[in-house]
């Protein structure tokens, strides 16, 4: 399958993309049986804000990742299949995704015909055979995630582009860096050492102004010349707007 074509992906209740192997098709049939009913209509990807979230950011998968790293993919797959009915614990990105869904619900109330909504895509670098547990977990928490992408270990860049991704969240800083290098807005999301209570009904996002919303030219002056020169530069250019950068626009 071409890396630049729409990826082989799962969808809880829709057909698979062309070119998938038989094992993927077999998994698809099972996923369709798992899909809950009476969910809202999926937003049109062309109009929605697409948020791609890695499975390890959305759910806590430290134990499974340790098995993968220490014992290899076969033991990892075996473990996942043996525990497919046990939902993962919520991960660092879970409250964020729940908040997105709360916003979508409110937007649907106010603007029933609008498709300008958030569309969440679940990303994982593993194969379809281990996806059943992810789908069971999505259904367990009643998450509205209709699209999931299993890259099978391939680079995710082509998939992110095919989904017209507006933001990619992952616990893997290397993959985040790869996405940023391709001009895709991305951020590394870390699991806190202690439980932090975060609202999952209100969406609150804080953006760093330097190098995220706007150019980092002022920050570079501080690093190179210190605060005195920074203040001089800011005074000299106070009426000149900072250039924006592409990642958060």
């Amino acid at each position: 399958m071409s890396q630049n074509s729409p990826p082989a992906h799962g969808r809880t209740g829709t057909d698979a993309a062309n070119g998938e192997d038989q094992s993927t098709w077999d998994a698809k049939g099972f996923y369709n049986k798992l899909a809950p009913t009476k969910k809202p209509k999926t937003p049109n990807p062309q109009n929605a804000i697409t948020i791609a979230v890695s499975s390890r950011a959305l759910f806590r998968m430290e134990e499974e990742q340790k098995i993968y790293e220490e014992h290899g993919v076969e033991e990892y797959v075996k473990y996942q299949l043996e525990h497919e009915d046990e939902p993962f614990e919520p991960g660092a990105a879970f409250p964020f995704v729940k908040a997105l869904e709360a916003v979508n619900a409110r937007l649907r109330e106010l603007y029933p015909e609008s498709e300008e909504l958030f569309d969440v895509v679940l990303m994982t670098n593993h194969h379809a055979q281990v996806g059943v547990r992810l789908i069971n977990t999505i259904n367990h928490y009643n998450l509205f995630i209709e699209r999931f992408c299993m890259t099978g270990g391939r680079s995710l860049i082509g998939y992110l582009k095919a989904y017209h991704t507006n933001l990619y969240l992952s616990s893997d800083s290397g993959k985040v860096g790869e996405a940023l290098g391709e001009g895709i807005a991305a951020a590394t999301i870390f699991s806190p050492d202690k439980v932090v209570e975060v609202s999952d009904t209100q969406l609150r996002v804080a953006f760093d102004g330097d190098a995220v919303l706007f150019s980092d030219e002022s920050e570079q002056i501080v690093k190179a010349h210190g605060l005195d020169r920074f203040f001089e530069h800011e005074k000299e250019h106070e009426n000149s707007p900072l250039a924006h950068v592409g990642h958060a626009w």
Side-chain angles (χ1 to χ4, degrees):
M1 180 183 302
S2 170
Q3 182 84 339
N4 294 321
S5 64
H9 64 281
R11 215 175 152 133
T12 54
T14 62
D15 293 335
N18 292 331
E20 292 175 306
D21 59 27
Q22 186 60 46
S23 63
T24 304
W25 279 106
D26 292 343
K28 290 286 181 279
F30 188 61
Y31 294 158
N32 289 342
K33 297 177 182 179
L34 294 175
T37 58
K38 297 183 180 179
K39 282 195 172 185
K41 179 182 177 182
T42 304
N44 187 332
Q46 300 297 327
N47 301 324
I49 298 175
T50 301
I51 313 293
V53 183
S54 74
S55 56
R56 288 171 54 199
L58 184 58
F59 303 120
R60 297 199 67 111
M61 301 177 67
E62 291 88 349
E63 182 177 352
E64 291 75 11
Q65 185 64 18
K66 184 177 180 180
I67 293 173
Y68 177 79
E69 293 173 352
E70 295 181 357
H71 302 286
V73 66
E74 290 187 6
E75 285 299 315
Y76 174 82
V77 170
K78 179 182 177 183
Y79 180 88
Q80 293 285 40
L81 293 175
E82 290 174 349
H83 296 80
E84 64 182 25
D85 293 326
E86 300 174 15
F88 294 109
E89 292 295 318
F94 188 90
F96 177 69
V97 170
K98 290 289 288 184
L100 292 178
E101 294 189 352
V103 172
N104 276 352
R106 182 57 175 156
L107 288 173
R108 286 188 173 98
E109 291 178 7
L110 296 174
Y111 312 103
E113 302 303 318
S114 176
E115 291 186 333
E116 295 181 348
L117 302 166
F118 293 104
D119 185 20
V120 177
V121 179
L122 182 64
M123 308 288 293
T124 177
N125 65 343
H126 295 298
H127 296 273
Q129 292 91 332
V130 303
V132 173
R133 190 178 181 193
L134 286 172
I135 302 303
N136 284 337
T137 302
I138 289 171
N139 292 341
H140 173 78
Y141 294 112
N142 197 31
L143 296 174
F144 182 49
I145 298 178
E146 288 288 293
R147 298 199 290 168
F148 54 96
C149 175
M150 299 176 182
T151 68
R154 294 181 292 272
S155 171
L156 55 84
I157 295 302
Y159 300 98
L160 294 177
K161 290 181 177 179
Y163 281 122
H164 305 287
T165 301
N166 297 103
L167 176 64
Y168 170 57
L169 298 176
S170 174
S171 58
D172 188 328
S173 59
K175 291 180 180 178
V176 167
E178 186 181 357
L180 289 171
E182 293 292 326
I184 300 170
T188 305
I189 188 163
F190 298 95
S191 297
D193 294 330
K194 60 180 180 179
V195 177
V196 179
E197 293 295 330
V198 180
S199 173
D200 60 7
T201 59
Q202 294 184 349
L203 179 62
R204 300 181 182 183
V205 181
F207 289 101
D208 189 336
D210 297 322
V212 177
L213 286 177
F214 306 113
S215 165
D216 66 346
E217 62 180 83
S218 296
E219 182 179 11
Q220 293 302 322
I221 290 174
V222 173
K223 292 179 179 178
H225 305 289
L227 279 175
D228 289 341
R229 180 67 189 103
F230 165 77
F231 289 129
E232 291 175 5
H233 177 271
E234 294 298 287
K235 183 63 177 178
E236 293 168 0
H237 297 84
E238 62 183 9
N239 294 319
S240 301
L242 288 165
H244 70 74
V245 293
H247 295 316
W249 285 74

